């Protein structure tokens, strides 16, 4: 840990992430697959079931509560899966945070002995949240810059799912106007496949932000200690 410039933080983060990607992947792939499966089911529900309900509510706002009540099970299932996917995503973040703590303590990242090893993730995740709370302004800056930089990359990775969703929206709008549904009968499987691939790629793109935060917090802590030491020397 040492003081680094913004460019140094980014370069060090990307270098560590790319050099340790295989070990990070080996430690977190099982939870990443679970997250991707949940997102694929959500994507299929969104494309084939939830979008028609949402468009009906928009087209007939006076009957929105009646429509929502009629599809209450679908809405509940969608919300439950969304929350479950978010929890699994936090688990992946916790696993990566544990690997970063390992790097801080030993200056290296090791792969688990077994592919299905269950790493601890809650304690490192709490430590990550505490560090983010101590440097909340830095955290906000990382999230904003990361949003601007990673959003185009994530959109490109999710391009097939986005195209499919837009096509489904247009098809469902056509059905509301009396046209036949213009999507193929295998739309469920197509949606699941595209969302599965998009989610799996996206999660490993987002993880790179944790590495940037790792070096940024380390730099901030180092600068803080240096300022405190300078005050003690002056006194």
């Amino acid at each position: 840990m040492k003081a680094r410039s913004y460019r140094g933080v980014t370069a060090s983060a990307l270098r560590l992430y790319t050099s340790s990607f295989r070990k990070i992947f080996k430690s977190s792939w099982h939870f990443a697959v679970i997250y991707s499966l949940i997102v694929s089911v959500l994507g299929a529900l969104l494309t084939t079931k939830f979008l028609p309900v949402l468009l009906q509510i928009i087209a007939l706002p006076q009957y929105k509560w009646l429509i929502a009540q009629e599809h209450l099970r679908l809405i509940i299932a969608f919300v439950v899966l969304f929350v479950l996917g978010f929890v699994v995503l936090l688990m992946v973040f916790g696993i990566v945070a544990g690997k970063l703590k390992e790097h801080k303590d030993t200056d290296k990242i090791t792969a688990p002995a077994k592919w299905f090893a269950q790493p601890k993730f809650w304690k490192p995740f709490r430590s990550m949240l505490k560090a983010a709370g101590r440097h909340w302004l830095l955290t906000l800056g990382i999230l904003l810059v990361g949003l601007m930089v990673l959003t185009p990359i994530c959109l490109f990775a999710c391009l097939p799912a986005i195209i499919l969703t837009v096509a489904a929206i247009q098809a469902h709008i056509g059905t509301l106007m009396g046209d036949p549904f213009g999507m193929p009968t295998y739309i469920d499987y197509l949606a699941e496949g595209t969302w599965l691939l998009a989610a799996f790629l996206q999660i490993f793109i987002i993880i790179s932000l944790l590495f940037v935060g790792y070096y940024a917090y380390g730099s901030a802590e180092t600068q803080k200690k240096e300022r405190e030491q300078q005050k003690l020397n002056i006194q």
Side-chain angles (χ1 to χ4, degrees), residues 49-77:
K49 305 294 184 183
F50 198 74
L51 277 177
V53 176
L54 184 60
L55 291 172
Q56 287 178 29
I57 292 175
I58 295 174
L60 303 169
Q62 65 273 25
Y63 300 110
K64 59 183 178 182
W65 297 116
L66 183 61
I67 297 172
Q69 185 177 3
E70 184 180 352
H71 299 88
L72 186 59
R73 290 184 180 180
L74 173 64
I75 296 173
I76 292 175

Short mmCIF file of all heavy atoms in Angstrom, two decimals, residues 49-77:
data_model
loop_
_atom_site.label_atom_id
_atom_site.label_comp_id
_atom_site.label_asym_id
_atom_site.label_seq_id
_atom_site.Cartn_x
_atom_site.Cartn_y
_atom_site.Cartn_z
N LYS A 49 -43.18 -12.47 -20.20
CA LYS A 49 -44.32 -12.39 -19.29
C LYS A 49 -44.52 -10.99 -18.70
O LYS A 49 -45.64 -10.45 -18.69
CB LYS A 49 -44.13 -13.38 -18.12
CG LYS A 49 -43.90 -14.82 -18.54
CD LYS A 49 -45.12 -15.42 -19.22
CE LYS A 49 -44.88 -16.90 -19.54
NZ LYS A 49 -46.02 -17.49 -20.27
N PHE A 50 -43.44 -10.41 -18.19
CA PHE A 50 -43.57 -9.16 -17.44
C PHE A 50 -43.81 -7.96 -18.34
O PHE A 50 -44.57 -7.04 -17.98
CB PHE A 50 -42.32 -8.93 -16.59
CG PHE A 50 -42.50 -7.94 -15.48
CD1 PHE A 50 -43.21 -8.28 -14.35
CD2 PHE A 50 -41.96 -6.67 -15.58
CE1 PHE A 50 -43.39 -7.37 -13.32
CE2 PHE A 50 -42.13 -5.76 -14.56
CZ PHE A 50 -42.85 -6.10 -13.43
N LEU A 51 -43.17 -7.93 -19.50
CA LEU A 51 -43.35 -6.81 -20.42
C LEU A 51 -44.80 -6.64 -20.87
O LEU A 51 -45.31 -5.51 -20.88
CB LEU A 51 -42.44 -6.97 -21.64
CG LEU A 51 -41.00 -6.49 -21.48
CD1 LEU A 51 -40.20 -6.76 -22.75
CD2 LEU A 51 -40.97 -5.00 -21.15
N PRO A 52 -45.52 -7.72 -21.24
CA PRO A 52 -46.93 -7.54 -21.62
C PRO A 52 -47.76 -6.94 -20.49
O PRO A 52 -48.62 -6.08 -20.74
CB PRO A 52 -47.39 -8.96 -21.95
CG PRO A 52 -46.16 -9.69 -22.31
CD PRO A 52 -45.08 -9.11 -21.46
N VAL A 53 -47.49 -7.38 -19.25
CA VAL A 53 -48.24 -6.84 -18.10
C VAL A 53 -47.93 -5.37 -17.92
O VAL A 53 -48.83 -4.53 -17.71
CB VAL A 53 -47.89 -7.63 -16.82
CG1 VAL A 53 -48.57 -7.00 -15.61
CG2 VAL A 53 -48.30 -9.08 -16.97
N LEU A 54 -46.65 -5.01 -18.02
CA LEU A 54 -46.25 -3.61 -17.86
C LEU A 54 -46.85 -2.73 -18.95
O LEU A 54 -47.32 -1.61 -18.67
CB LEU A 54 -44.72 -3.51 -17.88
CG LEU A 54 -44.11 -2.14 -17.62
CD1 LEU A 54 -44.51 -1.64 -16.23
CD2 LEU A 54 -42.59 -2.18 -17.75
N LEU A 55 -46.85 -3.21 -20.18
CA LEU A 55 -47.43 -2.44 -21.28
C LEU A 55 -48.94 -2.29 -21.13
O LEU A 55 -49.51 -1.25 -21.47
CB LEU A 55 -47.09 -3.11 -22.62
CG LEU A 55 -45.61 -3.06 -23.03
CD1 LEU A 55 -45.37 -3.91 -24.27
CD2 LEU A 55 -45.17 -1.62 -23.29
N GLN A 56 -49.59 -3.32 -20.60
CA GLN A 56 -51.02 -3.21 -20.34
C GLN A 56 -51.31 -2.15 -19.28
O GLN A 56 -52.27 -1.38 -19.41
CB GLN A 56 -51.57 -4.57 -19.87
CG GLN A 56 -51.68 -5.61 -20.96
CD GLN A 56 -52.18 -6.94 -20.42
OE1 GLN A 56 -52.92 -6.98 -19.45
NE2 GLN A 56 -51.76 -8.03 -21.04
N ILE A 57 -50.48 -2.11 -18.24
CA ILE A 57 -50.67 -1.10 -17.20
C ILE A 57 -50.46 0.31 -17.76
O ILE A 57 -51.20 1.24 -17.43
CB ILE A 57 -49.70 -1.37 -16.03
CG1 ILE A 57 -50.10 -2.67 -15.31
CG2 ILE A 57 -49.69 -0.21 -15.04
CD1 ILE A 57 -49.13 -3.09 -14.22
N ILE A 58 -49.46 0.45 -18.65
CA ILE A 58 -49.21 1.77 -19.25
C ILE A 58 -50.35 2.16 -20.19
O ILE A 58 -50.78 3.32 -20.21
CB ILE A 58 -47.86 1.75 -20.01
CG1 ILE A 58 -46.70 1.54 -19.02
CG2 ILE A 58 -47.66 3.04 -20.80
CD1 ILE A 58 -45.36 1.37 -19.69
N ALA A 59 -50.86 1.18 -20.96
CA ALA A 59 -51.92 1.47 -21.91
C ALA A 59 -53.27 1.68 -21.23
O ALA A 59 -54.10 2.45 -21.72
CB ALA A 59 -52.02 0.34 -22.94
N LEU A 60 -53.48 1.01 -20.10
CA LEU A 60 -54.76 1.11 -19.38
C LEU A 60 -54.51 1.47 -17.92
O LEU A 60 -54.69 0.65 -17.02
CB LEU A 60 -55.52 -0.23 -19.47
CG LEU A 60 -55.80 -0.77 -20.88
CD1 LEU A 60 -56.29 -2.20 -20.81
CD2 LEU A 60 -56.80 0.13 -21.58
N PRO A 61 -54.06 2.70 -17.67
CA PRO A 61 -53.72 3.08 -16.28
C PRO A 61 -54.92 3.03 -15.33
O PRO A 61 -54.74 2.83 -14.14
CB PRO A 61 -53.20 4.52 -16.44
CG PRO A 61 -53.79 5.01 -17.72
CD PRO A 61 -53.90 3.82 -18.60
N GLN A 62 -56.14 3.18 -15.86
CA GLN A 62 -57.32 3.13 -14.99
C GLN A 62 -57.57 1.73 -14.44
O GLN A 62 -58.28 1.57 -13.45
CB GLN A 62 -58.56 3.65 -15.73
CG GLN A 62 -59.02 2.80 -16.90
CD GLN A 62 -58.32 3.17 -18.20
OE1 GLN A 62 -57.20 3.70 -18.19
NE2 GLN A 62 -58.98 2.90 -19.33
N TYR A 63 -56.98 0.71 -15.08
CA TYR A 63 -57.14 -0.67 -14.62
C TYR A 63 -55.83 -1.24 -14.07
O TYR A 63 -55.68 -2.47 -13.99
CB TYR A 63 -57.62 -1.56 -15.77
CG TYR A 63 -58.95 -1.14 -16.35
CD1 TYR A 63 -59.03 -0.58 -17.62
CD2 TYR A 63 -60.13 -1.31 -15.61
CE1 TYR A 63 -60.25 -0.19 -18.16
CE2 TYR A 63 -61.34 -0.93 -16.15
CZ TYR A 63 -61.40 -0.36 -17.41
OH TYR A 63 -62.62 0.02 -17.93
N LYS A 64 -54.89 -0.38 -13.68
CA LYS A 64 -53.56 -0.87 -13.29
C LYS A 64 -53.61 -1.79 -12.07
O LYS A 64 -52.91 -2.80 -12.02
CB LYS A 64 -52.62 0.31 -13.04
CG LYS A 64 -53.08 1.27 -11.96
CD LYS A 64 -52.11 2.43 -11.83
CE LYS A 64 -52.58 3.44 -10.78
NZ LYS A 64 -51.66 4.60 -10.68
N TRP A 65 -54.44 -1.45 -11.08
CA TRP A 65 -54.50 -2.30 -9.89
C TRP A 65 -55.17 -3.63 -10.20
O TRP A 65 -54.78 -4.67 -9.65
CB TRP A 65 -55.25 -1.58 -8.77
CG TRP A 65 -54.57 -0.33 -8.32
CD1 TRP A 65 -55.03 0.95 -8.40
CD2 TRP A 65 -53.28 -0.24 -7.72
NE1 TRP A 65 -54.11 1.85 -7.90
CE2 TRP A 65 -53.02 1.13 -7.47
CE3 TRP A 65 -52.30 -1.18 -7.38
CZ2 TRP A 65 -51.83 1.58 -6.89
CZ3 TRP A 65 -51.12 -0.74 -6.80
CH2 TRP A 65 -50.90 0.63 -6.56
N LEU A 66 -56.15 -3.62 -11.08
CA LEU A 66 -56.81 -4.87 -11.47
C LEU A 66 -55.85 -5.77 -12.24
O LEU A 66 -55.78 -6.99 -12.01
CB LEU A 66 -58.04 -4.56 -12.32
CG LEU A 66 -58.90 -5.76 -12.74
CD1 LEU A 66 -59.45 -6.47 -11.52
CD2 LEU A 66 -60.02 -5.31 -13.66
N ILE A 67 -55.06 -5.17 -13.15
CA ILE A 67 -54.08 -5.93 -13.92
C ILE A 67 -52.99 -6.47 -13.00
O ILE A 67 -52.57 -7.63 -13.11
CB ILE A 67 -53.47 -5.05 -15.04
CG1 ILE A 67 -54.55 -4.63 -16.04
CG2 ILE A 67 -52.35 -5.78 -15.74
CD1 ILE A 67 -54.07 -3.61 -17.05
N ALA A 68 -52.52 -5.64 -12.07
CA ALA A 68 -51.48 -6.07 -11.14
C ALA A 68 -51.97 -7.20 -10.25
O ALA A 68 -51.24 -8.16 -9.98
CB ALA A 68 -51.03 -4.88 -10.29
N GLN A 69 -53.23 -7.10 -9.80
CA GLN A 69 -53.79 -8.15 -8.96
C GLN A 69 -53.93 -9.46 -9.73
O GLN A 69 -53.70 -10.55 -9.19
CB GLN A 69 -55.15 -7.71 -8.42
CG GLN A 69 -55.78 -8.69 -7.44
CD GLN A 69 -57.09 -8.17 -6.89
OE1 GLN A 69 -57.56 -7.10 -7.28
NE2 GLN A 69 -57.69 -8.93 -5.98
N GLU A 70 -54.26 -9.35 -11.01
CA GLU A 70 -54.42 -10.54 -11.83
C GLU A 70 -53.10 -11.27 -12.05
O GLU A 70 -53.07 -12.50 -12.17
CB GLU A 70 -55.03 -10.15 -13.18
CG GLU A 70 -55.35 -11.33 -14.09
CD GLU A 70 -55.95 -10.88 -15.40
OE1 GLU A 70 -56.25 -9.67 -15.54
OE2 GLU A 70 -56.12 -11.74 -16.29
N HIS A 71 -52.00 -10.51 -12.08
CA HIS A 71 -50.68 -11.09 -12.31
C HIS A 71 -49.81 -10.96 -11.05
O HIS A 71 -48.59 -10.78 -11.14
CB HIS A 71 -49.98 -10.41 -13.49
CG HIS A 71 -50.71 -10.54 -14.79
ND1 HIS A 71 -51.68 -9.65 -15.18
CD2 HIS A 71 -50.63 -11.47 -15.77
CE1 HIS A 71 -52.14 -10.00 -16.36
NE2 HIS A 71 -51.53 -11.12 -16.74
N LEU A 72 -50.42 -11.05 -9.89
CA LEU A 72 -49.71 -10.83 -8.63
C LEU A 72 -48.61 -11.87 -8.43
O LEU A 72 -47.50 -11.54 -7.98
CB LEU A 72 -50.70 -10.88 -7.46
CG LEU A 72 -50.13 -10.54 -6.08
CD1 LEU A 72 -49.55 -9.14 -6.08
CD2 LEU A 72 -51.21 -10.66 -5.01
N ARG A 73 -48.88 -13.13 -8.75
CA ARG A 73 -47.86 -14.17 -8.58
C ARG A 73 -46.64 -13.91 -9.44
O ARG A 73 -45.49 -14.11 -9.00
CB ARG A 73 -48.47 -15.53 -8.93
CG ARG A 73 -49.50 -16.04 -7.93
CD ARG A 73 -49.96 -17.44 -8.32
NE ARG A 73 -50.94 -17.95 -7.37
CZ ARG A 73 -51.53 -19.14 -7.46
NH1 ARG A 73 -51.20 -19.94 -8.49
NH2 ARG A 73 -52.40 -19.54 -6.55
N LEU A 74 -46.86 -13.45 -10.67
CA LEU A 74 -45.75 -13.14 -11.56
C LEU A 74 -44.92 -12.00 -10.99
O LEU A 74 -43.68 -12.06 -10.99
CB LEU A 74 -46.27 -12.78 -12.95
CG LEU A 74 -45.23 -12.26 -13.95
CD1 LEU A 74 -44.21 -13.33 -14.27
CD2 LEU A 74 -45.92 -11.78 -15.23
N ILE A 75 -45.57 -10.97 -10.50
CA ILE A 75 -44.86 -9.81 -9.94
C ILE A 75 -44.06 -10.22 -8.71
O ILE A 75 -42.90 -9.81 -8.54
CB ILE A 75 -45.86 -8.68 -9.62
CG1 ILE A 75 -46.51 -8.18 -10.90
CG2 ILE A 75 -45.16 -7.54 -8.89
CD1 ILE A 75 -47.64 -7.19 -10.68
N ILE A 76 -44.66 -11.03 -7.83
CA ILE A 76 -43.97 -11.48 -6.62
C ILE A 76 -42.75 -12.33 -6.99
O ILE A 76 -41.66 -12.17 -6.42
CB ILE A 76 -44.94 -12.26 -5.71
CG1 ILE A 76 -46.00 -11.33 -5.14
CG2 ILE A 76 -44.16 -12.93 -4.57
CD1 ILE A 76 -47.05 -12.04 -4.32
N ALA A 77 -42.93 -13.24 -7.94
CA ALA A 77 -41.82 -14.09 -8.38
C ALA A 77 -40.69 -13.25 -8.96
O ALA A 77 -39.50 -13.51 -8.69
CB ALA A 77 -42.30 -15.10 -9.41
#
